[in-house]
Amino acid sequence: MGPGEGFMRPVMRAGNGRQGAYGWVVEKRQFKEWLADRNSMEAGNMDKFRFVILGAGKITGKFCEAVSLVENCEICAVASKSMERAALVAGKHGIPRYYDNYEEMLEAEKPDGAYIEVTQNDHCRMRLMCIMHKLQVLCDKDMILDS
């Protein structure tokens, strides 16, 4: 299943007295496939849980340190808008690959999860991109700035 073919799709609906409220529709067949993959991982049929990092901010070091403390977990790549910044972060934290294009990294690495550390105005776009790639997403900020 490629990007855009995930088990959740956004829909616009009326609700709670607000015009144009957004929600999600779960596609049962795709969800069952995703759940089977997840159960396979939890049953020990996966070597390591592979994270990627989107962004190269100040908290990257703390996240890398935390991941290093978790058994069967690794960071396989980092991406930033700046190739130089991505290379600097990768070298400093022992991350094997780095990119200057987020989508390219997700397609090439095929990770299990993503940590988002971009400026807050780009969090929503990054989260949706990761969701479309069926990734588990960690993010320390709100998805949107206001409602």
Side-chain angles (χ1 to χ4, degrees):
M1 217 178 308
E5 298 174 348
F7 62 85
M8 295 179 73
R9 61 182 166 84
V11 294
M12 195 163 154
R13 61 182 176 193
N16 298 333
R18 293 184 296 172
Q19 291 281 334
Y22 288 93
W24 294 91
V25 172
V26 175
E27 303 291 342
K28 290 180 184 176
R29 183 178 53 81
Q30 287 93 344
F31 180 73
K32 286 180 181 176
E33 292 171 6
W34 175 83
L35 189 59
D37 289 344
R38 182 168 171 82
N39 289 340
S40 175
M41 179 188 77
E42 290 173 354
N45 297 333
M46 175 183 250
D47 293 331
K48 287 193 174 193
F49 190 92
R50 300 173 67 241
F51 274 107
V52 292
I53 300 174
L54 287 80
K58 296 177 184 175
I59 304 173
T60 302
K62 297 279 188 192
F63 180 72
C64 292
E65 183 181 331
V67 169
S68 72
L69 299 173
V70 179
E71 188 177 340
N72 296 326
C73 196
E74 68 182 2
I75 299 171
C76 58
V78 61
S80 176
K81 289 185 276 187
S82 160
M83 183 67 90
E84 293 79 23
R85 188 161 174 101
L88 180 68
V89 168
K92 184 176 181 181
H93 300 291
I95 301 170
R97 288 170 298 286
Y98 53 91
Y99 298 82
D100 64 353
N101 183 300
Y102 303 112
E103 185 82 30
E104 182 181 310
M105 176 184 68
L106 294 177
E107 290 179 12
E109 297 296 330
K110 305 217 182 314
D112 304 302
Y115 176 67
I116 298 176
E117 191 182 347
V118 296
T119 55
Q120 190 162 355
N121 63 316
D122 217 10
H123 275 240
C124 183
R125 182 175 72 90
M126 293 295 135
R127 284 187 191 186
L128 292 174
M129 182 188 311
C130 291
I131 288 168
M132 293 310 218
H133 281 273
K134 299 191 320 180
L135 298 179
Q136 305 293 320
V137 179
L138 291 175
C139 189
D140 62 348
K141 293 187 178 68
D142 297 331
M143 186 165 175
I144 56 176
L145 296 174
D146 61 17
S147 57

